[in-house]
Amino acid sequence: MFMIQHIKYFIIPLLIFTSVSCQQSTKPAKEKPVKSENISNISVKDIRVFVFYKSFGFCNSMVDYFTQKEAEDLYADKIFNIKKNEEKEIDLFSVLDEEKWNCLKENLNLQNTSQIKVVKTKEDFPFDNLLLINDKYLLVSRDGYFFVFATKEKQKILVSDEKNNRDNLENFTSLFDVKLTGLSVVNDKKKKLFEKYGLDFTMLCNCNSPSMYVSNTSKDFTIFNYCDQADVKNIKNKFTSKITKLEVVNKKLVISTVSGLKISFEKFENENLFEMKVLEGKFPLKYVGTDVKSIYTTQPEKFQKVNCGDYSG
C-alpha cells in the first residue's frame, strides 16, 4: 500500500525530493549531516557554496511529524558545495505542482519567471536531487517541509558612499568588536540606569540568554550563549553569519546577514545601551538560549547582577 501511494510521485527521480513529504510519517533522525566535498579541492570558479537559510511547511498541509524548531535545527549545519557542471535547466512544472510552487513563491518572494535547475549530487537521499532557483536558492523537501539553502558568495559590506550615512555609522562604533550582553529590568522602581537594568536570573543562573558580537574586521555577526565566556572565535556552539549590508535608517543601525536575519540596534538612554529588534528572518535559538533580550549593553560590568545563591542550574 505504501508503494502504491507513492508511485505517482516517482515518475521522474527528481520527484523523490518534492513529493514524499506529505506521505511520510517517520520523524527523521537528527544525526549531524555529513559535510560536503572539501572546498579546497575544487576551483572556486566552478562551484557554488550554499548554507542553510530557512525552512517552512508546505502551505496547505498539516505537518505534525516534528516542530518548526526541529525543522530549523535538522539541517542547520549543512553546507553544499555544488559543481556548476552538475546543474541542468529543467521545466518548472515537470518537478513541482502549482500548489507547491505557489508556496515557494509566497515564502521566497519568487516570480513565475524564476529560473529552475535540477542539481544531481552524490549525497544520500534526500540530497541526491536538488532544485536550484535563480542561482540563489537550493531546495530540498522532506516530511512536509521545504528546506532552503542560500548561496554564500564572498560579499563586501554594502555601505552607502553618502557622507551622511558614513557619519551616522560613526555613531555606532562602540557597538562593533565587543560582546553585547542582554539586560532586563531588575528593579523598575529605580531611576538610576545601572540599578534599574541588570543581568537577570535566566541569563546568569539558567544560562538561557544569548549574547551577540558584530565584527567590523571579519564582517561576521555572531550569536552565542552568555555563559560561554571564551573569546568569540573559540566558542564552539554559536551562530555565525556574514554581514551583507550595514546602514543607518531612522537613527537605527540595520544589519543584514547572508542567513536572512536582519536586525536593528537603536541607542537607548546612553551610548553603550542599545535596543535590538528582529526585522526579518528568525533569531536562532539552538545552543545560544531561548530568552532573547531586547536591550543590550557593551558594559555589563556596570549593571546589577542577580545572585544565584545555591542554585546550580
Side-chain angles (χ1 to χ4, degrees), residues 69-125:
K69 183 179 184 303
E70 289 174 319
E72 295 285 347
D73 291 346
L74 188 58
Y75 299 123
D77 299 324
K78 181 70 179 173
I79 297 175
F80 284 101
N81 298 319
I82 301 299
K83 296 180 182 179
K84 291 185 179 180
N85 61 11
E86 293 175 343
E87 303 169 9
K88 181 180 178 182
E89 196 159 347
I90 195 169
D91 178 64
L92 169 65
F93 291 108
S94 68
V95 294
L96 288 173
D97 60 35
E98 186 174 0
E99 181 179 313
K100 288 186 176 66
W101 175 240
N102 288 335
C103 187
L104 290 174
K105 286 198 298 182
E106 177 183 335
N107 282 274
L108 298 177
N109 296 318
L110 301 174
Q111 304 296 324
N112 283 330
T113 55
S114 295
Q115 182 187 50
I116 308 294
K117 297 179 181 178
V118 61
V119 179
K120 296 285 292 184
T121 76
K122 296 179 181 179
E123 301 202 42
D124 294 335
F125 174 82

Side-chain angles (χ1 to χ4, degrees), residues 2 5-6 8-10 15-26 57-65 97 99-100 141-146:
F2 180 83
Q5 290 176 334
H6 285 70
K8 63 181 180 180
Y9 295 109
F10 289 85
L15 290 183
I16 291 176
F17 104 90
T18 57
S19 302
V20 297
S21 306
C22 294
Q23 311 291 332
Q24 190 171 331
S25 59
T26 303
F58 295 170
C59 297
N60 295 322
S61 299
M62 296 296 294
V63 180
D64 58 4
Y65 308 130
D97 60 35
E99 181 179 313
K100 288 186 176 66
S141 68
R142 182 177 181 182
D143 297 299
Y145 283 92
F146 285 111

